[in-house]
């Protein structure tokens, strides 16, 4: 068995791979080939959201990247400024408890690919509703009354 590979490319300092990778020699030097990198990243994400400690900045950045969210979009979903998210990710401040839990919930929704009960979709819808607190319009559809789009 080879020694564990320190997987710094994910942006986290404490991730080591015991197997599931190959080191290959190329004309440019050694390169690493990881088997099922998407599965590895899902496993890392699951580990992060199930830990009891508060998320560190690098962990928030990893989860945000995995969810394919910009700092601005994550900030909008959490009703924070994009500078606040940037400070969390740089380690200049910590995400408060509700934001930490919501990031975990967003990732859980992302990781399970449950579009019917997507936390991200719900938060996006709530964010749009907050911007449109004026009149609420309804229309009669074949399926019954519904809020107008």
């Amino acid at each position: 068995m080879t020694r564990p590979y320190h997987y710094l490319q994910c942006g986290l300092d404490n991730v080591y791979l015991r197997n599931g990778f190959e080191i290959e020699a190329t004309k440019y030097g050694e390169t690493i080939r990881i088997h099922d990198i998407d599965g590895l990243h899902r496993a890392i994400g699951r580990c992060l959201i199930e830990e009891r400690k508060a998320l560190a900045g690098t962990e928030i950045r990893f989860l945000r990247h995995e969810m394919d969210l910009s700092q601005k979009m994550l900030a909008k979903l959490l009703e924070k400024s994009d500078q606040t998210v940037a400070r969390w990710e740089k380690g200049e401040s910590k995400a408060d408890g509700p934001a930490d839990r919501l990031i975990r919930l967003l990732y859980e929704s992302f990781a399970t690919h449950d579009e019917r009960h997507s936390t991200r979709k719900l938060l996006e819808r709530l964010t749009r509703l907050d911007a449109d607190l004026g009149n609420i319009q309804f229309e009669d559809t074949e399926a019954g009354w519904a809020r107008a789009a």
Side-chain angles (χ1 to χ4, degrees):
M1 180 172 140
T2 61
R3 67 177 192 185
Y5 175 71
H6 193 183
Y7 182 46
L8 292 169
Q9 294 88 335
C10 67
L12 302 169
D13 296 339
N14 58 347
V15 176
Y16 291 83
L17 308 180
R18 297 173 98 189
N19 58 22
F21 67 92
E22 295 171 14
I23 298 174
E24 298 174 349
T26 70
K27 64 181 180 179
Y28 303 105
E30 287 187 343
T31 187
I32 184 95
R33 188 170 67 81
I34 298 172
H35 310 163
D36 187 18
I37 197 162
D38 293 334
L40 170 60
H41 281 221
R42 282 190 302 276
I44 294 169
R46 167 101 24 235
C47 179
L48 294 176
I49 68 169
E50 291 176 355
E51 285 188 4
R52 293 179 57 109
K53 68 175 185 66
L55 291 169
T58 54
E59 296 167 340
I60 291 171
R61 182 179 12 211
F62 175 86
L63 295 172
R64 179 178 60 78
H65 281 291
E66 289 300 301
M67 294 184 287
D68 197 26
L69 290 174
S70 65
Q71 285 181 341
K72 185 174 186 172
M73 186 59 188
L74 180 59
K76 189 172 185 176
L77 291 172
L78 300 174
E79 295 188 1
K80 304 287 184 183
S81 74
D82 48 339
Q83 288 304 307
T84 297
V85 173
R87 283 193 296 276
W88 293 342
E89 291 185 2
K90 292 178 193 171
E92 294 174 1
S93 63
K94 294 267 187 198
D96 57 28
D100 181 281
R101 287 188 290 279
L102 202 47
I103 292 167
R104 294 168 194 263
L105 191 59
L106 280 168
Y107 183 81
E108 174 69 24
S109 174
F110 166 82
T112 60
H113 303 291
D114 186 353
E115 289 300 318
R116 293 174 299 129
H117 300 100
S118 169
T119 305
R120 180 175 173 178
K121 285 191 182 291
L122 174 63
L123 287 174
E124 287 171 350
R125 192 167 46 243
L126 290 173
T127 301
R128 283 192 307 274
L129 288 176
D130 283 346
D132 184 31
L133 288 175
N135 297 326
I136 302 171
Q137 297 182 22
F138 292 86
E139 59 188 9
D140 190 11
T141 68
E142 289 181 19
W145 282 97
R147 185 177 182 146

